[in-house]
Amino acid sequence: MTAPFQQPGRLVRCPVCADEIVWPDDGKVLVFDEGKRRYETLDAARLSEAKRAGARRGGYIRCPNPAGDMAVHYLPATYADYRDPLIVGLVGAPMAGKTHLLTAMIREAYRGGLAPYGVNTAALDFRRHDDFNEQFVRPFERGTALAGTDSGVTEAADILLVRGPGGHRPVTFFDVAGEDLESTEAMNRSTRYLLGANAVIFVHACEDDDAGSAGAVNPGWSFELAVERLLGVPENAVRVPVAVAVTKSDRMRYVPPVEQWLRAPADGLDAARFRDESRDVYAFLHRRGAVGSLRPFEAFHRCTLHFVSASGGDASPADSSKEQGEQRFVRGVRPANVLAPLVAILAMTGVIAGPEAGKVGLP
Ligand SMILES: Nc1nc2c(ncn2[C@@H]2O[C@H](COP(=O)(O)OP(=O)(O)O)[C@@H](O)[C@H]2O)c(=O)[nH]1
Ligand SMILES: [Mg+2]
Ligand SMILES: [Zn+2]
């Protein structure tokens, strides 16, 4: 299962609109023309094999969205070349730290952070990845606190190609606004992706259960809604593995078990390590009475819990007038343990294979 396979005409569930679509096999791909700022149709069937492969790898198809209920969206032309695409969503209250965590996570994955697990990462959707870098990764590296996510986002944040011992899988990440995750509107477009999600990272900011982070009236509400939406399909309790990331753990750096997990080196998959970390995080959330944040653990068959820090410290208001209103990580960013939830998800979905992976997230 390691080589990509091509099977035109196969049924694929679009990660964006969650419709089942017949993958177009007319040999045409859309290529984005940077000069004209639009997609142009290219008849790839008429090209030499090498050129066709190149055009497909950088090209797109337009999703036919049979239900006609979403804005026009495009998918990488090679999306359907791989079996079992993975759709990973981040769920959490507004300001929980989802966007910073996803940015730190994708950045580390790109920097070869998954190599100890035999996994490498490339962009599947080049345009989307370039946008993600421009909007999130580069500002984050410069120490700029990232802006809040706008309500109404329906597009994936990034689509990666993850090549691991268990095969090659496209991994689509969704990071929508916390406000949308708290919306009870049944057909909210921003949370539509949950219908097709095969893994979820629940993000809990470590101070949420006390003072509550800005905007979070009930920090557990987004978890509760997402859990219930996912369990609308009862098999999901078994089919969908989840990870709970307690982020901003830098604020508790000196609390004994936290420090140890933030500094834990990444050297190959160890199910016992994940079990011990999960036990410590569970105890921590339980002591704090964060009942809502323990819901995913109770609801899903496979779940791991982690202490993470995306930035390594708090942002403070920028002082130069030019950057007014902007927050900065003045000492730069130092992400800690941010890959742990992703590694756990990759193990629980079989991208990282083997007997050790088979034990991750089980009691
Ligand atoms: N101390 C600390 N602050 C963080 C961390 N991650 C995010 N923040 C802060 O938390 C706030 C919300 O982060 P954001 O990622 O936008 O949350 P989202 O609404 O869940 O996407 C921002 O002000 C960040 O500066 C972290 O790891 N540590
Ligand atoms: Mg956000
Ligand atoms: Zn679609």
Side-chain angles (χ1 to χ4, degrees):
M1 211 187 85
T2 48
F5 80 120
Q6 287 178 24
Q7 191 187 324
R10 83 186 266 248
L11 270 182
V12 176
R13 192 201 280 269
C14 169
V16 177
C17 64
D19 277 345
E20 291 248 301
I21 59 175
V22 178
W23 198 259
D25 64 348
D26 55 5
K28 301 216 167 53
V29 292
L30 299 172
V31 183
F32 192 76
D33 186 318
E34 293 293 343
K36 296 184 189 148
R37 307 294 305 158
R38 64 162 191 247
Y39 290 93
E40 304 275 357
T41 305
L42 185 75
D43 194 352
R46 298 170 51 182
L47 301 175
S48 70
E49 200 174 319
K51 278 190 185 160
R52 183 164 62 237
R56 288 187 77 249
R57 185 68 179 89
Y60 293 84
I61 65 122
R62 178 176 161 166
C63 173
N65 182 208
D69 54 358
M70 296 284 255
V72 172
H73 50 279
Y74 299 86
L75 296 171
T78 53
Y79 188 81
D81 288 4
Y82 309 92
R83 281 176 216 278
D84 302 327
L86 213 58
I87 298 171
V88 182
L90 280 90
V91 166
M95 299 293 279
K98 299 179 294 298
T99 300
H100 283 77
L101 177 58
L102 182 63
T103 301
M105 198 179 262
I106 289 184
R107 172 176 172 267
E108 294 220 347
Y110 259 89
R111 289 156 56 106
L114 297 172
Y117 311 94
V119 171
N120 80 56
T121 311
L124 188 66
D125 185 332
F126 295 122
R127 293 200 64 225
R128 199 181 296 263
H129 185 65
D130 205 38
D131 280 353
F132 187 80
N133 272 337
E134 205 53 54
Q135 259 197 68
F136 302 105
V137 179
R138 281 183 211 121
F140 180 72
E141 287 177 335
R142 287 194 299 266
T144 308
L146 305 170
T149 310
D150 289 335
S151 172
V153 171
T154 53
E155 283 282 344
D158 204 352
I159 306 182
L160 308 182
L161 177 58
V162 171
R163 300 180 177 103
H168 296 189
R169 314 265 296 263
V171 185
T172 303
F173 289 96
F174 278 90
D175 173 29
V176 306
E179 290 81 358
D180 285 319
L181 290 161
E182 291 182 338
S183 157
T184 50
E185 197 192 325
M187 297 302 280
N188 185 307
R189 292 179 188 191
S190 296
T191 50
R192 178 77 52 87
Y193 76 85
L194 280 173
L195 295 174
N198 359 47
V200 175
I201 299 175
F202 288 91
V203 182
H204 170 105
C206 73
E207 84 283 25
D208 276 0
D209 38 41
D210 308 323
S213 64
V217 182
N218 173 0
W221 184 231
S222 59
F223 281 29
E224 179 71 30
L225 272 180
V227 167
E228 291 309 322
R229 281 196 173 114
L230 286 160
L231 294 186
V233 180
E235 306 89 86
N236 279 349
V238 175
R239 191 187 68 94
V240 176
V242 301
V244 177
V246 173
T247 194
K248 310 188 194 179
S249 289
D250 50 276
R251 292 173 177 169
M252 304 181 303
R253 198 183 295 117
Y254 304 111
V255 178
V258 179
E259 175 188 36
Q260 172 203 336
W261 296 117
L262 287 184
R263 291 216 227 133
D267 44 10
L269 193 67
D270 180 354
R273 173 215 187 278
F274 278 136
R275 198 174 51 241
D276 293 349
E277 183 180 17
S278 298
R279 187 201 52 214
D280 283 354
V281 179
Y282 186 96
F284 168 84
L285 291 172
H286 191 74
R287 258 197 320 273
R288 295 213 162 189
V291 185
S293 295
L294 293 173
R295 259 295 274 155
F297 178 81
E298 275 128 32
F300 296 92
H301 191 59
R302 296 185 82 172
C303 175
T304 56
L305 299 92
H306 312 268
F307 286 117
V308 306
S309 168
S311 57
D314 279 323
S316 42
D319 43 18
S320 91
S321 55
K322 173 172 136 290
E323 300 167 320
Q324 231 171 32
E326 196 182 86
Q327 297 261 322
R328 292 193 54 79
F329 299 104
V330 280
R331 269 177 259 109
V333 288
R334 276 157 291 117
N337 208 31
V338 289
L339 280 181
L342 181 59
V343 169
I345 294 280
L346 294 178
M348 293 187 284
T349 50
V351 179
I352 301 174
E356 204 59 25
K359 292 187 275 184
V360 172
L362 293 173

